[in-house]
Amino acid sequence: MASLTRKTYFKTLQKFGMDWSPSVVTQYESKRTGMRVVVVDQKGPKILGFFALATEIHDDSGAPHTLEHLCFMGSKNYQYKGFLDKLATRAYSTTNAWTATDHTAYTLDSAGWESFAQILPVYLEHVILPTLTDSGCYTEVHHVDGTGHDAGVVYSEMQGVQNNQGELMELRSKRLLYPEGIGFRYETGGMMEQLRVLTADRIRQFHSDMYQPKNLCLVIVGEVDHGDLLSKLDDFEGTIIQDIPPPDAPFKRPWTDSAQTPSLQTTSVETVEFPEEDESSGEIMISFLGPDCNDDLQMSALSVLLTYLAGSSASVLENTLVEKEQVASAVYYSTDYRPDTIIQFVLSSVETERLSEVHNRFFEVIKQAANDELDMDYMLDCIRRQRRVLKASAEASASFFTDSIITDFLFGARDGSNLRDLASLREYDILETWSDAQWRDYLRKWISEARYVTILGKPSAKLSKKLKAEEEARVAEQKERLGEQGLKEMEKKLAQAIAENEREIPREILKRFRVPDTSSIHFIDTTTARSGVARKMGPLDNPIQKLVDNDNMDLPLFIHFEHVQSNFVHINLIVGTDSVPAKLMPLLPIYIENFFNTPILREGETIAFERVIVELEKDTVGYTVESGSSFGNPEVLRIQFQVEIEKYHTAIRWLRTMLWDSIFDTTRLKTTTARMLSDVPEEKRSGNEMASAVEVMIHTSRESIGRARSTLVKALYLKRVKRLLEGEPQTIVSQLSEIRSALNQFSNFRVFVIADVKKLSNPVTSWKHLVDSLDTSQPLKPLDSRLSRLSEAGRKPGGLAYIVPLPTVDSSFALCLAKGPETFEDPRVPALIVAISYLNAVEGPLWAAIRGTGLAYSTSFSRHNESGQISFDVYRSPDAFKAFATGKKVVEEYVSGLAEIDPLALEGAISFIVLAFANGQATMTSAAQASFIRQVVRGLPSDWMDVILKQVSEVTVEEIKDVMRKIILPVFKAETANLVVTCAPIMEEQLMKGFKEQGFNPEVRPLTSFQDDYGLKAKDGEDDGDDVDDDEDEDEEMTDNGEGEITEGTDESDA
C-alpha cells in the first residue's frame, strides 16, 4: 500500500460526505497535466472506473464513436490489438466504452483494488496514446469486403440503427433544436454515408484535439486505496508527459468555451417517416430547452414536475392521454443534462392518422394543468417520494453518482462548487415550501408556454421499399465500379489489415502482469434466516435466525430472510403458476399489467385506481410485478415492494390487498388491453427481440409464461380479448378471477425479504395478515421450471431453421439453440462454464474472428440451465451466416487440435468467472438476491460459489475440449440445433444460400406466421386487420403438431 505522505502532483480540491448516503467524495486535480480525479468511497467487492473526456464535434463523421473502438487496438508501449482486454480478463476485470453527444467514457470494472490498480495505467495509456493505425481504422471503422458489401464494427453498429424510428426522429429533432456550429446538433455515432469516407487522419486529428489529460476526468467508485491511486497516476503522467501537447498550451474546453445554444426562436412541428410495413401507429417526440443543469434547485424542481406530469398512471398526462382517452400507449419523459437541459416527452403507439390531433391534445392537457390549481398534496407526495428514491438508488447502485460527476466535469464550475451540491438534498426541503403559483410559473416557463420542437414519427411501407431498393442499387453500383479485380483487391486489403491487427502478443509481456489473489476481493457477506416451511431447507444457527425464531408464532408461510445493512426493505413474493390453466396463460400479461393499476375494495368501498396509485407511491420507494427471470426462473411471478424500514407492515398489507381485494374493472381492462395491443407494432420493429420471440414460440409449450407473454401471442390474442371486452366483458372478468384463484394459494407462495432484520419489528408475525387469507393445509409445490414447459422442439432440438425478413432492420440477427446440461450439479458444468468464458472473452477467439473482422457487432455462447439448453447468438451483423460459419470454424479448430487452448487466455477465462460472481453481489441488495437464488431457486448449498470456483480452477484442457465437442459444437449442426434468423429483406437470399451450404434447410417465413391465438378465434366476419405482411392478406397462426414441427393452420381448442 502506497503511503499518503509520498509527494504527489495531485492536489485535493475538496472532500465531503453526504447527509443522505454513506459514500464520501474526494476530488483531485493534477498540478502537472490538469487531469481530474473524483473518488467515491463505498463498500463492496467491485471497483468501478469511468474515464470521461469532453468530446465535441461539428459534423456527422462519427470520429468520436470510432475512437471509442480504436483506443482498444493498442497503445504506444503495448502495440497489440486486444492486449488491454486480455490483461483485464486475467485480472478479474472487464472494459467497455460509450459515446454520448457530449462526452466519451471508457469503463474499467474490476473485482478488488489490486486488479483495478494493475490495469489502470495501461488502460489510460491506451486512451491518451493509442496507436490509431490505418489497418485498425480499416477493419474497425469501415471497409468493403470481397463480395462488395460494406462492413466494419462501427459501420455495422450504425447500419443497425440509422434508419430506425427513434434514430430518425431524434436526429431531425436535434437539427431543429440546434443551429449549425452547436455540437449538440450532430450525430456523434456517425452516419453511414460519412463513415464510408471517414479517413484515419481525420480520426487522429480529433484525438489530438480532444484526448488530452486536461480534458480527462477519472471517476472511481469503491474501496479505493487513495495513496496507491495517486502514486500510480503520478508514475503514469511521467511516462506520457513528452508525448502530449504541452499542458500549459492554450486549450479551448469543449462545451464551456464553445458557442452556447441560442434560445428557440420558433416552435417547429415536422413529420418524419420511418420504414415500417405496419402503418397503423407512429410516435410523437416533443422537446424543450430547459434550465441550466448546474442549478440544483431548478433541476430538482424539473425532476419533481415531470414525475407529477407523467410519472405514473395517476399523473396528469398518463391518466388523461393513456388511461382515459387511450390515444397513446404511454407518455415517457427524459432529460439530457446540459446548460440548456433537454426536456423530452415521447408519446408511443399513437394511431398514425391521429398524430397531429394527439399532439395538440397533449398541449391542451399541459396548458390546462398550468391554468388550473395543481394538486398540491400529490405534488408534496412527489417531492418526498423523489427524495426516498434518490436515497434508495444511492444504496442499490454502485455507479449511482457517476452521471452527476461526469455532468459536473463537462459543464460545472471548475472550483467544484456545483459538485458539492451532492452533499445534501436540501433543495427538496425548499421545494416543499413552493406554492401552487410557483409551481405553475415554473411549468409555464419551461413547458406549457415555451417554444418547442415536435417530431411526428410516421410509419411508411413505401420508405421501407425505397431504402431497400436504394441500398441494393448502391451495392450493385459499388460491385460494378470495383469489378472482379477490384473486389479481389478489397479482399486482399482486408486480409492484410486483419493480419497486421492480429499480430500475436508476446507472452512475456502478459506474464509481467500477475493474476491477483482472490483474497484482495472483498465479497459482501449476508446472513440467511428462515421461517415457516422454509425451515425444512435445513437448520441455521446465527443471531439473525434467533431473532426470527423469537417472533415465529408457528406461521407456516415460507419466508426466507437475507440480513444486510440497509435503510430499506425489499419484500418479494414468488408465486408459482402451475395452477393456471394453459388456455388462460395469455391473460397473465393483462393480469400483471393491471395488478397495481386497478381499483380495490376497502371496507365495502370501491377505491379508484388513481387513488390506489397515489397511496402506493406515498407508502413505497417502488413496486413491481414481473416474471421471475431476474431470479433465474422465468416461469414464476415476482411481486416486489421496496419501502423504508418503518413501512414493513404497510407493504405487507398492500401485498395482501392487491392479491385479494383488487377489482377487475371492465373500463380498466379495456384501457390496459388497448395500451398493450398498441405497443405490438413497435415491439415487432426490433430484429434482435423478434429473433428471441420466434425462438420462444418454437421451443416452449403453451404452459410457458414466456410464450404467453410473447409479442407473437399478444398480437392476436389481445385483439380477441379487446373484442370480448366490448361484447362479453364478463367472460374476461371471470377468467381473470379464475387466474387469481389459481395463483393465490399457500402452495404457490414463497416470501423473500432483504432487510436489516435487527431493525424490523415482528419480522415474521407481520405476515399473519396475509396468511389468514390462505388455506395453509396445502403442501408447498416445487418451483415451476422452464424445463418442464418446453415444446417437443425445445426438448429435442434439430431440423428446424427459419429466416424471417423484417423491413424495419438494416442488418441481421441469428440464434442457434441445442441441448445442454439441465442441472447445476451436472459434472460437465464446470468445464462448460470455463469453455464458454474462454470463447466469449473480449479479444478472445470469437471476438478476434468475428467482431475483429467486422462480421458482427457481437456474438456469444450462453448456457440456459433453467431450460437445459445452450445457444449461440449473432447480434447486428452485415451477414449473420458469415458470423455463424466463422464461429463454427473457431470451435472446430479447438476440437480438432488445429488451435491450442492458450494457458494465459485460460487464466483470463477463469478470472472472468470470478468477476461474474463479484458482479452478482456488487451491492448489499444484489448479494442478498444472489444468496436467495443459490439456495431457493437453484436448490444449491449456500457455499456453492466457493465450490464452483474451486472446480472451475481445476478444469483441464481435455475437459474443455470434450464439452466443446459434445455440447458446444452441436449448436452449429442442423441435426442437433434449431436456427432462427431475422434480417433486412435484402439479405434473405444470401443468408438462405449460406445456411443451406451448412446443412440447414431454412424456410423463409413472415413474422405473422409464428403468431398464436391459443385457440381464441376471431368471429366470422371479423377482421384482425393490422398484421399484414407483404405476401399475406390475413393472419396466419402457428401451431405445434406435437413433434416440434411448426405448421400453419388453426387450433380448435377452447378459449
Side-chain angles (χ1 to χ4, degrees), residues 212-232:
Q212 300 184 32
K214 68 179 73 173
N215 192 35
L216 172 65
C217 179
L218 312 183
V219 184
I220 304 174
V221 184
E223 296 184 26
V224 176
D225 182 335
H226 288 243
D228 191 32
L229 169 65
L230 298 183
S231 173
K232 283 187 164 50

Side-chain angles (χ1 to χ4, degrees), residues 49 125 177 206 246 266 295 304 319 511 536 944:
E125 182 181 287
L177 285 165
F206 184 78
T266 60
D295 190 325
V304 170
N319 190 251
K511 285 181 178 179
K536 293 183 179 179
W944 181 80

Side-chain angles (χ1 to χ4, degrees), residues 274-289:
F274 60 89
E276 171 59 274
E277 294 295 332
D278 184 343
E279 296 184 333
S280 62
S281 67
E283 193 166 274
I284 301 172
M285 179 184 289
I286 306 167
S287 303
F288 305 84
L289 295 178

Side-chain angles (χ1 to χ4, degrees), residues 554-618:
D554 296 324
L555 272 183
L557 183 66
F558 182 109
I559 310 178
H560 179 108
F561 293 94
E562 287 292 335
H563 169 73
V564 298
Q565 292 181 352
S566 174
N567 292 315
F568 298 91
V569 183
H570 296 257
I571 294 174
N572 300 270
L573 178 65
I574 310 303
V575 185
T577 59
D578 182 63
S579 305
V580 179
K583 67 180 181 179
L584 298 184
M585 272 293 184
L587 276 179
L588 262 184
I590 295 177
Y591 177 83
I592 291 169
E593 190 75 14
N594 207 59
F595 189 82
F596 290 109
N597 292 285
T598 188
I600 61 171
L601 193 64
R602 180 186 291 162
E603 298 178 354
E605 178 189 357
T606 297
I607 308 298
F609 90 94
E610 291 94 343
R611 184 174 161 192
V612 172
I613 295 297
V614 169
E615 291 183 14
L616 275 167
E617 291 182 344
K618 190 172 185 175

Side-chain angles (χ1 to χ4, degrees), residues 229-247:
L229 169 65
L230 298 183
S231 173
K232 283 187 164 50
L233 291 178
D234 279 329
D235 292 343
F236 167 70
E237 287 191 332
T239 67
I240 65 167
I241 198 71
Q242 301 300 320
D243 297 293
I244 61 174

Side-chain angles (χ1 to χ4, degrees), residues 10-40:
F10 283 83
K11 61 181 178 181
T12 303
L13 297 181
Q14 60 181 329
K15 179 178 181 178
F16 59 89
M18 305 181 200
D19 60 16
W20 56 285
S21 167
S23 298
V24 176
V25 174
T26 308
Q27 185 179 32
Y28 301 102
E29 182 179 63
S30 170
K31 293 177 285 188
R32 182 162 44 171
T33 68
M35 183 195 304
R36 290 212 161 184
V37 183
V38 180
V39 177
V40 181

